[in-house]
Amino acid sequence: MLRKPLLLAIDDEPGMLALIQRFAGPAGFDVVTNGSAKDAMARLAELPADVALVDLRMPDIGGLDVLRAIRETHPQCQVILMTAHAAVDSAIEAVKLGALDYLSKPLDFDRLKDLLSSAREDIERRAALLSAENETAHRLELCGLIGRSTVMQELFGLVRRIAPHARAALVTGETGTGKEGIARAIHQLGPRRQRRFLTINCSAVVETLFESELFGHVRGAFTGATEHKTGLFEAADGGTLFLDEIGELPAAVQAKLLRVLESGEVQRVGSLQAKKVDVRVVAATNRALREEAEAGRFRSDLYFRLNVVELHVPPLRERREDIPYLVAAFVREFAAKFQKPVEGVSLTAERLLMMADWPGNVRELKNVLERACMLAEGRCLTERDVERCLPAAPARAASAPSASSSGTDLRSLEREHILKVLHEERGNKRAAAAKLGLSRRTLYRRLERHDITT
Amino acid sequence: MSEPPRDPAPCGRLGDTEFEHTLRNQIAIVIGYCDLLLQEIRQDDPLRRDVVEMHKAASTAIAMLRDQGESV
């Protein structure tokens, strides 16, 4: 740690403040003193104090109130209260509120010294841990993907082994687990890293336009085809094409895709000429594709063609030990993005994040932290900062839109309703579409129209 | 807090908790500085005995204050 820890001393008695400064300075602290509790409270936000020494009895604001305020704004700051009249009640109250200790005046310097040095060790240990974590974290990352858990390390190992060779791969996993990240890693680590990586979300394309999107078309191939169009396969020639939500691919297109994969040739719609393409295909799905194939809803020959290698990304609840590292990375990212001084989360907030269910997986965790960082005021996200950003109880979510929707137009009403249903279905688009009476594809188009990112 | 009250009849004011609080704080400061000096002055320094005496007197004063406070 480069900077000295900062001790904030608050007492209405200037002689006492001078005495504390005289003692704590040589003990290795930067000392800031303030003779007015009111003034100190107003400045708390800009004072990154590590330890605070607060007088219990002051004329403007009591020490317990200052303690409460510090616990609120600087949850990582240790607070020591001091008093000329030791009283059992206030001592108990202080400890309940999370004070480190309660000292009576005249101050016992030996005890204060012990307290300060233990607080200092704590601060240094935390700083050391954080920087060590950064180094280790980098070693254990895969193209920016974080996963220290055994399951993720195994997955990363598999990605590293197959990336140089596999012509096709299937990435499976629940929504929000980071399937696209894995696909990108395969691309990055393979021989095609200099070439393009293109993505298409199969559930977001209108059925009739699929062929044209994937394979292109020539002018006059169909009504509205006024120009030649290069398909994604041609555009990704030499690189990687990522087919997200492959389970949503219409049956007719499945057949054509299979033919392209087998022959390595594409034919633009309306053209007789076949063109050789060299594309690595990575497909992803949150469906149990094998079962879909067995039930006849997905072509089994295509399934086997894609499933040369299957990479399963585990849901977040099965790798909770990764949560602290993901949290640290996201907090860093969003603190920089929103230019906030947020450095981490409090212990209780971390516990809350560790225990949550995360049906939306890493994406949901990321969204929660984005919101929390956006709204945060201190250097440390507290339990409350996190709690208010976690998905609300269904009852609360259901009542909110109706209250705010009075007097709005149909378009925003639709947007709100979609958001509400998505929320209720915890981001599961298929379930949300069913509830809204829409096809999944239509829902995707609405999401796009309303600029809703999930 | 400004200067402590200069009332000539301090005994009559001892029941006043505000006065007592301030007085306690002032003596605590004296004791605090004595403690610091005692940590810094070498054992064989002749000045040390003076500081010990100051410390003793201030400690007696604060003990008397405490007893007085309890009897009020």
Side-chain angles (χ1 to χ4, degrees), chain A residues 300-318:
Chain A
S300 50
D301 42 7
L302 178 60
Y303 168 69
F304 289 116
R305 185 87 209 174
L306 293 169
N307 193 21
V308 179
V309 191
E310 180 175 336
L311 299 149
H312 177 69
V313 193
L316 190 54
R317 63 181 175 280
E318 283 173 20

Side-chain angles (χ1 to χ4, degrees), chain A residues 35-214:
Chain A
S36 151
K38 208 172 190 164
D39 185 54
M41 296 251 280
R43 288 163 191 245
L44 270 185
E46 64 202 60
L47 268 178
D50 299 294
V51 184
L53 204 52
V54 183
D55 188 28
L56 183 70
R57 190 164 137 180
M58 291 178 282
D60 48 358
I61 297 173
L64 288 177
D65 289 326
V66 178
L67 168 62
R68 278 190 201 98
I70 294 177
R71 299 297 299 161
E72 188 93 344
T73 48
H74 299 313
Q76 276 168 346
C77 175
Q78 310 260 37
V79 183
I80 301 164
L81 282 172
M82 45 186 186
T83 175
H85 293 257
V88 182
D89 303 355
S90 52
I92 292 173
E93 184 67 19
V95 173
K96 264 199 211 154
L97 286 171
L100 179 64
D101 207 342
Y102 186 92
L103 298 178
S104 59
K105 293 178 189 171
L107 295 174
D108 177 344
F109 282 115
D110 288 334
R111 185 146 155 219
L112 182 58
K113 197 173 183 171
D114 284 346
L115 284 173
L116 288 184
S117 56
S118 87
R120 227 180 104 149
E121 276 166 25
D122 225 43
I123 295 157
E124 279 162 8
R125 197 172 40 231
R126 222 161 39 207
L129 189 76
L130 213 68
S131 64
E133 267 182 3
N134 283 343
E135 276 172 39
T136 339
H138 270 294
R139 248 198 343 269
L140 294 174
E141 274 177 18
L142 176 82
C143 303
L145 299 174
I146 295 168
R148 290 191 178 195
S149 51
T150 327
V151 275
M152 288 306 274
Q153 284 298 312
E154 279 171 8
L155 176 65
F156 291 174
L158 188 58
V159 170
R160 285 194 191 95
R161 283 198 302 280
I162 64 129
H165 316 294
R167 301 267 308 154
L170 180 66
V171 187
T172 60
E174 289 178 12
T175 175
T177 46
K179 297 186 287 291
E180 181 168 351
I182 292 290
R184 279 183 192 280
I186 295 172
H187 177 72
Q188 286 291 317
L189 298 170
R192 296 160 182 255
R193 70 180 68 85
Q194 306 294 340
R195 313 301 287 269
R196 298 172 92 171
F197 175 90
L198 295 180
T199 299
I200 179 173
N201 186 331
C202 299
S203 59
V205 178
V206 186
E207 191 162 342
T208 48
L209 288 179
F210 242 116
E211 274 196 63
S212 152
E213 281 289 321
L214 285 174

Side-chain angles (χ1 to χ4, degrees), chain A residues 371-372 375-377 383-391 396:
Chain A
R371 253 172 291 161
L375 300 172
E377 272 155 13
E383 192 178 350
R384 235 188 32 207
D385 288 334
V386 168
E387 209 163 23
R388 66 180 169 190
C389 296
L390 282 170
R396 233 158 64 209

Side-chain angles (χ1 to χ4, degrees), chain A residues 11-16 18-20 22-23 26 35 55 57-59 83-85 105-110 113, chain B residues 1-2 17-22 24-37 39-40 59 62 66:
Chain A
D11 195 318
D12 59 313
E13 191 55 69
M16 192 54 79
L19 178 63
I20 291 166
R22 165 92 157 72
F23 170 76
D55 188 28
R57 190 164 137 180
M58 291 178 282
T83 175
H85 293 257
K105 293 178 189 171
L107 295 174
D108 177 344
F109 282 115
D110 288 334
K113 197 173 183 171
Chain B
M1 190 56 51
S2 57
T17 50
E18 193 50 50
F19 172 80
E20 198 187 310
H21 179 77
T22 309
R24 240 180 232 263
N25 259 317
Q26 299 305 319
I27 302 174
I29 293 168
V30 175
I31 295 177
Y33 276 106
C34 289
D35 280 332
L36 287 181
L37 285 173
Q39 281 177 14
E40 288 158 16
S59 299
I62 215 160
R66 196 171 300 132

